[in-house]
Amino acid sequence: MSASGTISLTRNVLANWGGYVFAAGVNFVLSPFVVHSLGNSAYGIWTLLGALVGYLGLLDLGVRAAVTRYVARFHAQQDHAEATRIVSSALVIFGIMGLVVTLVAGGLALFVADLFEIPAELVSAAQIVLVLGGTSMAVSMVGGVYGGIVIGLQRFDLSNLAEIAIGVVRAVAIVVALKTGYGLVALAFIQLGVSGLSGLAGYILSRRLYPELRASPSEFSRSHLMMIFSFSGSVLLLQASGMLILFSDSIVIGASLPIGMVTFFAIAANLTEYARAPISGISQTLTPSASALEADDEDDELKRVMLAGARIATLIALPIILTFMLRGHSFIGLWMGEEYAGPSGDVLWILSLALWFAVGYQIVVATMMGISKHNGLVPAFIIEAICNISLSLVWIQSFGII
């Protein structure tokens, strides 16, 4: 990799870390406020419905990842016509999938009270939240195409600056909404607005960074559609397995235990997501970087970058994980309140141990996706997802959220 390439990769990692530090800091401050403002039951519903909407994200079909890969590759080769056809085809796909997501969310809203033990006074709010959440997901899909272009061009610095600005707006809106007595529905409207702002920011940045790319439905191409799906099929399986691993716990808890128990689990799960953020700051930069290195036939440099990334990620994660395992209970007690310290602290210890083993392969997965060699990882992810759900269903009866 050239000196400029090394500087670009370093800039991107630092930009991601800056964005994640900001997001984690805001969420860290907001979380106790949101939990205590909504209460355990309402916050549990918010987390649970977020998991349901997260599953609708599977209709992404791995297309955004394909956009990132092929934009990085074709931009490196100066083949702007091919990049335009890829993006145009992705927009057509997401236009259709966005409509499907909205309709499915509306259908789920009709039956959500039958699926989970939601207090009667919160049923109508839960239904509205689910519909708005599906709409937000649809908006995110379409806007995500433009975000994928920005990431494919490896401008994580600009992407993170935009997300930080939007994050400030989101935080202020949440505080104002909850302080003035609004609840779940207001949070859902805020989420929808944030999705729209993110999509708009991605559109503006992509047009400025890549003016040669002119996406239009008229540039839709069946051959490029097949090119997208030839890459995205296995990405979809990876994403589906990942979502089952991340979101299935909240669904199982919500279906098997009082809805408020989701909150105790979510507190610990959110902390491990904050710990995962610095690792994502490295892994996300490697996918477009790997695509560009592959296009330039720099295989040795690609191997070096992947191994270095895995080592650095493991070293960064280790002190965070050890702190959670050794001091997690007291930390949660100070952060959220003593009533959460015991159950949430126990969950945090277990999830932290699991995170320790996940750090290295998160880097590998990102790199393998960048060079379209990720097919071999699919069976391992599927097995992990099946084990996660099966064991959760069996053990929740005896051990609860543990």
Side-chain angles (χ1 to χ4, degrees):
M1 183 181 291
S2 64
S4 61
T6 301
I7 293 173
S8 175
L9 185 60
T10 303
R11 178 196 66 200
N12 289 333
V13 171
L14 293 176
N16 275 353
W17 283 349
Y20 286 130
V21 166
F22 171 82
V26 169
N27 289 331
F28 181 80
V29 173
L30 279 181
S31 291
F33 173 70
V34 173
V35 169
H36 294 301
S37 296
L38 293 178
N40 287 340
S41 294
Y43 187 79
I45 291 170
W46 176 252
T47 302
L48 183 63
L49 297 183
L52 277 179
V53 172
Y55 283 130
L56 296 180
L58 291 175
L59 291 174
D60 169 280
L61 303 176
V63 172
R64 173 166 173 164
V67 170
T68 296
R69 166 173 162 73
Y70 287 119
V71 166
R73 180 177 179 179
F74 291 135
H75 184 264
Q77 297 172 341
Q78 297 295 300
D79 195 341
H80 309 310
E82 285 291 282
T84 294
R85 295 188 187 100
I86 281 288
V87 172
S88 299
S89 300
L91 281 173
V92 171
I93 296 169
F94 277 151
I96 297 171
M97 289 299 101
L99 178 60
V100 172
V101 165
T102 304
L103 293 175
V104 171
L108 286 173
L110 297 175
F111 303 101
V112 68
D114 299 323
L115 296 173
F116 305 103
E117 295 182 9
I118 296 176
E121 68 274 13
L122 294 174
V123 170
S124 60
Q127 292 173 327
I128 296 172
V129 167
L130 197 49
V131 172
L132 291 175
T135 306
S136 297
M137 181 63 72
V139 172
S140 295
M141 284 182 171
V142 176
V145 174
Y146 297 103
I149 296 170
V150 178
I151 298 305
L153 297 175
Q154 302 185 58
R155 292 309 305 266
F156 291 85
D157 53 339
L158 297 179
S159 178
N160 278 286
L161 282 174
E163 289 303 316
I164 288 173
I166 294 169
V168 172
V169 174
R170 170 182 170 271
V172 171
I174 288 174
V175 170
V176 170
L178 294 181
K179 281 284 189 182
T180 51
Y182 293 98
L184 291 174
V185 175
L187 292 183
F189 272 113
I190 292 169
Q191 185 181 46
L192 177 58
V194 166
S195 297
L197 286 175
S198 294
L200 179 61
Y203 174 77
I204 294 172
L205 287 174
S206 65
R207 289 298 302 271
R208 294 192 64 180
L209 294 171
Y210 202 168
E212 298 90 350
L213 193 156
R214 297 281 182 173
S216 167
S218 62
E219 294 289 340
F220 172 83
S221 164
R222 182 173 297 180
S223 63
H224 290 80
L225 179 68
M226 297 307 296
M227 184 185 298
I228 289 172
F229 284 130
S230 67
F231 173 83
S232 68
S234 50
V235 173
L236 172 61
L237 292 174
L238 290 177
Q239 289 178 339
S241 302
M243 286 184 177
L244 287 173
I245 293 165
L246 290 174
F247 296 139
S248 62
D249 298 311
S250 295
I251 302 294
V252 171
I253 294 168
S256 305
L257 300 174
I259 201 79
M261 295 305 297
V262 177
T263 298
F264 289 90
F265 186 90
I267 288 170
N270 288 341
L271 283 174
T272 57
E273 284 304 300
Y274 301 155
R276 194 188 296 269
I279 315 309
S280 298
I282 299 173
S283 65
Q284 287 182 357
T285 66
L286 291 180
T287 299
S289 180
S291 295
L293 288 171
E294 182 197 30
D296 294 334
D297 294 322
E298 296 189 40
D299 293 341
D300 290 338
E301 184 63 18
L302 177 61
K303 295 174 185 177
R304 189 192 68 80
V305 168
M306 182 181 73
L307 290 173
R311 292 181 183 124
I312 293 170
T314 303
L315 287 173
I316 291 172
L318 184 58
I320 301 173
I321 291 169
L322 289 176
T323 300
F324 282 169
M325 294 179 71
L326 295 175
R327 305 297 299 172
H329 290 79
S330 57
F331 177 80
I332 291 175
L334 292 171
W335 177 42
M336 298 297 301
E338 284 300 324
E339 68 270 28
Y340 299 97
S344 296
D346 292 342
V347 172
L348 179 61
W349 194 97
I350 298 168
L351 295 182
S352 297
L353 182 62
L355 179 61
W356 197 345
F357 293 97
V359 170
Y361 79 64
Q362 186 172 338
I363 302 297
V364 174
V365 170
T367 307
M368 299 298 277
M369 286 177 62
I371 59 175
S372 194
K373 299 291 186 183
H374 52 286
N375 294 352
L377 300 172
V378 171
F381 272 71
I382 291 176
I383 291 170
E384 181 180 352
I386 292 172
C387 289
N388 188 309
I389 294 176
S390 300
L391 293 174
S392 295
L393 289 170
V394 172
W395 285 343
I396 195 169
Q397 304 302 327
S398 302
F399 300 106
I401 60 173
I402 295 298

